[in-house]
Amino acid sequence: MDLAAPIRAALLADSAITSKMQAYLGSFPIFTRRPVPTAAPYPVVVVSPDVTVAQSDGVSDQRPAPIRDVAIYGRNDTPASYRDVEAIAYAVRALFHRRRGAIIVPGWGVVDITAAGPRAAPVDDEQTVGRVVELTVQLARKD
């Protein structure tokens, strides 16, 4: 199951998120891989691969629950830049938490989505700020 494309599409469609971002190569700097291009303007959003996949399968059905991190990074140069990162993180949470219709996963039914966070994301220096929202997506195989 590919969650990267549906999550990215949902993020791109949410103006509460994209309104805080600068255009980049005809879109917005929302990525599904690392490293992020060095030319990408901050803030950036990075959707991780599966952190882990929990299971609540039955005898004859598949119900995986992949967990993905959505990380938001920005500059810590002004209060406004710092607050933009926080605003995006809270918008990510609002977009997905308990909103199973936020994404469509081909071949799968989305049973539930829970969002945890935002929490501080690791950064390498004091000039960068980061927040992470953890998404747990409960899926059920469509027959």
Side-chain angles (χ1 to χ4, degrees), residues 90-139:
Y90 279 103
V92 169
R93 179 185 171 83
L95 172 63
F96 292 109
H97 189 63
R98 301 287 184 207
R99 296 192 61 219
R100 67 183 186 156
I103 62 173
I104 296 170
V105 182
W108 296 88
V110 178
V111 176
D112 193 21
I113 303 173
T114 55
R119 66 179 191 278
V123 294
D124 293 331
D125 55 48
E126 294 294 321
Q127 289 75 44
T128 307
V129 61
R131 295 291 180 265
V132 173
V133 177
E134 179 184 275
L135 302 180
T136 302
V137 182
Q138 178 71 54
L139 300 170

Side-chain angles (χ1 to χ4, degrees), residues 1-14 17 30 32 47-48 50 68 70 95-96 99-108 110 113 135 137 139:
M1 79 218 81
D2 176 23
L3 292 180
I7 291 172
R8 183 174 187 274
L11 293 166
L12 285 168
D14 191 321
I17 294 167
I30 299 174
T32 58
V47 179
S48 77
D50 291 344
R68 295 230 172 176
V70 178
L95 172 63
F96 292 109
R99 296 192 61 219
R100 67 183 186 156
I103 62 173
I104 296 170
V105 182
W108 296 88
V110 178
I113 303 173
L135 302 180
V137 182
L139 300 170

Side-chain angles (χ1 to χ4, degrees), residues 76-99:
N76 194 16
D77 54 352
T78 67
S81 295
Y82 182 92
R83 296 286 175 231
D84 283 349
V85 170
E86 289 204 331
I88 292 169
Y90 279 103
V92 169
R93 179 185 171 83
L95 172 63
F96 292 109
H97 189 63
R98 301 287 184 207
R99 296 192 61 219

